[in-house]
Amino acid sequence: MDLRFLGGAREVGRSALLVDESLLLDFGTKADTPPQFPVSTPTPDAVVASHGHLDHVGTIPALLSGTHRPPIHWTPPTYELALTLARDTLKLHGGTYHCPFIENDIKRVTEVSRTHGYGVPFDAAGYEVTFYNAGHVPGSAHVLVDDGDTRLLYTGDFHTTDQRLVSGTTARPDADVVVCESTYSDVTHDDRDSVEARFAESVKTTLWEGGTVVVPAFAIGRTQELLLVCDAHDIPCYVDGMGKRVTEMLLQYPGFVRDSDALQRAKSHARFVTGRDGQRKRIADQQAAIVTTSGMLSGGPAMTYIPEIRSNPVNKIAMTGYQVAGTPGRSLIDSGRAEIDGRVLPVSAQVEQYDFSAHADHAGLRAFLDDYRDATVLVNHGDDCAAFADALRDEGFTARAPERDDTCPV
Ligand SMILES: [Zn+2]
């Protein structure tokens, strides 16, 4: 089996792995300025996607822009999320280099889509492929690829700890080769319950003091997790941005969330913002949490709320995810200023950060890999893949960190 890393090697973003020039695993977009795409656009016999995040499925419609029509295999939520992301990219960037496909390509995605549940093997390009719950976001999968000789486990993004929205990964299918993500290989997450307790306490304090809390959150996974947290702690909340649509969609697939009744209750507990008639300006005055995209303040309704609440020190901005260098969210945390529509605005409101990660940390990655001591481990999807591969080798693993466009015979 030959593995060619078209992206996601020693970087986070544009994940794409080509197996024997025939089976493509993921085809993502790196959210950079400008965005970056996998190093080449192959013509595979089939495509398999691990989960519905931009850096794993964002470039998939571009595979269909010529005459080639490979089937695309994914779970039902991943299919829906990929379409949502593609339409959003088209709306924001259609007709520019930032969008490598057109509307017709998205329509073709619906024609070649094949959906599968967890644990049910299927054929893709002559390989036997099986999905296992990866515990990252709803529909996320570890992808096991078996050619009858070599078994490849492509972990995709995963979490070993339970979140409110999805349970952590427990499946450890036998494999000869593991391509393992390493986003947080040098991080130890605080215990999730204590992160949640601190968040709830802090938000409630601000509301008691008469303030408003803006909670920037990624639309896929994080928004729903925060709605569940708000419901569990009885925090009055609004939800705005793409996360609203994603929440509605996920309720259609109860088998892919940990507790769909809880998600339904959380949805009923939250008030959905329409944005009509100056609603956002009014809400920005209320004693409530506002869970809104974008998670890194790089667009979305968050950009309407921040200017409204920023000058009152009683108010709060509670960041809930990793902030990539160069994003407005990162500069807010580092410098206390936010760049909104090209203007740099000072922020007197309190700014806090909470680690609601959906990825395994160092201990989680190690615990996962302990079941693969006899396998060859190829580390990808991280800022320091080489260091993690070195550390694994020191512990007796056969491990390395391929570079972008490397082909690895395994
Ligand atoms: Zn992801």
Side-chain angles (χ1 to χ4, degrees):
M1 200 181 266
D2 282 327
L3 305 181
R4 188 168 160 218
F5 290 80
L6 301 177
R10 303 196 180 201
E11 64 182 340
V12 176
R14 57 169 154 173
S15 283
L17 180 62
L18 189 57
V19 181
D20 298 330
E21 301 288 324
S22 166
L23 178 67
L24 179 64
L25 308 180
D26 285 345
F27 203 58
T29 301
K30 186 170 183 174
D32 226 326
T33 325
Q36 295 184 38
F37 308 109
V39 291
S40 66
T41 302
T43 50
D45 298 316
V47 182
V48 174
S50 65
H51 68 283
H53 273 157
L54 194 71
D55 57 329
H56 293 259
V57 296
T59 315
I60 279 182
L63 294 167
L64 304 171
S65 60
T67 53
H68 200 58
R69 298 283 178 274
I72 303 172
H73 301 270
W74 35 25
T75 63
T78 301
Y79 164 60
E80 298 267 9
L81 293 169
L83 283 184
T84 299
L85 289 167
R87 290 180 184 129
D88 191 59
T89 301
L90 190 71
K91 197 170 99 193
L92 290 175
H93 305 299
T96 72
Y97 172 78
H98 294 213
C99 182
F101 49 81
I102 59 173
E103 180 141 24
N104 214 22
D105 303 333
I106 301 177
K107 212 169 88 212
R108 288 173 183 156
V109 170
T110 65
E111 291 161 8
V112 299
S113 169
R114 310 271 188 278
T115 57
H116 309 271
Y118 296 134
V120 185
F122 58 90
D123 178 89
Y127 299 84
E128 185 183 273
V129 177
T130 314
F131 288 145
Y132 297 90
N133 179 14
H136 175 57
V137 294
S140 66
H142 303 302
V143 182
L144 185 71
V145 177
D146 190 342
D147 68 359
D149 187 26
T150 304
R151 290 160 304 178
L152 162 70
L153 180 65
Y154 175 73
T155 67
D157 296 357
F158 67 94
H159 204 350
T160 45
T161 305
D162 289 345
Q163 306 173 68
R164 285 187 181 271
L165 184 61
V166 285
S167 305
T169 164
T170 53
R172 302 290 181 268
D174 287 344
D176 308 297
V177 183
V178 179
V179 174
C180 186
E181 72 121 321
S182 61
T183 318
Y184 285 113
S185 63
D186 57 351
V187 166
T188 299
H189 295 319
D190 285 344
D191 169 65
R192 186 58 165 251
D193 291 343
S194 71
V195 172
E196 188 180 305
R198 268 191 289 121
F199 171 83
E201 181 71 28
S202 175
V203 172
K204 284 182 170 178
T205 301
T206 299
L207 304 190
W208 286 329
E209 291 171 354
T212 304
V213 183
V214 173
V215 184
F218 307 126
I220 297 169
R222 195 63 43 83
T223 289
Q224 295 76 40
E225 183 76 7
L226 268 303
L227 296 187
L228 286 158
V229 169
C230 286
D231 184 36
H233 294 269
D234 212 15
I235 295 168
C237 70
Y238 290 91
V239 57
D240 204 349
M242 198 211 282
K244 291 182 295 184
R245 205 159 66 240
V246 173
T247 306
E248 307 261 16
M249 183 278 285
L250 291 178
L251 283 166
Q252 309 301 311
Y253 299 98
F256 289 89
V257 296
R258 183 176 166 190
D259 181 346
S260 64
D261 292 339
L263 186 59
Q264 180 62 55
R265 282 196 304 276
K267 189 204 150 192
S268 307
H269 172 77
R271 282 166 283 184
F272 278 50
V273 179
T274 63
R276 283 195 290 268
D277 306 325
Q279 188 192 13
R280 291 191 175 107
K281 280 190 197 293
R282 285 200 307 279
I283 291 168
D285 257 352
Q286 298 194 15
Q287 290 159 49
I290 304 167
V291 179
T292 181
T293 49
S294 80
M296 299 188 204
L297 301 182
S298 45
M303 314 310 276
T304 309
Y305 295 113
I306 302 288
E308 294 294 321
I309 67 132
R310 70 180 170 96
S311 47
N312 184 347
V314 174
N315 293 334
K316 194 170 277 173
I317 302 167
M319 309 301 287
T320 61
Y322 181 71
Q323 304 296 313
V324 170
T327 60
R330 179 64 167 270
S331 85
L332 176 63
I333 285 163
D334 290 347
S335 70
R337 290 188 292 272
E339 189 180 323
I340 310 267
D341 293 335
R343 287 183 304 153
V344 177
L345 306 172
V347 173
S348 309
Q350 302 157 65
V351 179
E352 295 178 350
Q353 196 173 21
Y354 296 90
D355 180 5
F356 279 102
S357 178
H359 291 268
D361 65 1
H362 180 83
L365 291 166
R366 282 294 292 102
F368 181 91
L369 288 173
D370 260 340
D371 285 317
Y372 296 101
R373 284 214 157 255
D374 298 329
T376 297
V377 178
L378 301 175
V379 176
N380 76 338
H381 199 288
D383 291 327
D384 205 352
C385 299
F388 188 50
D390 285 348
L392 289 172
R393 270 202 308 280
D394 288 345
E395 293 185 51
F397 281 89
T398 304
R400 61 185 190 278
E403 300 200 41
R404 194 165 51 241
D405 215 17
D406 271 1
T407 298
C408 305
V410 292

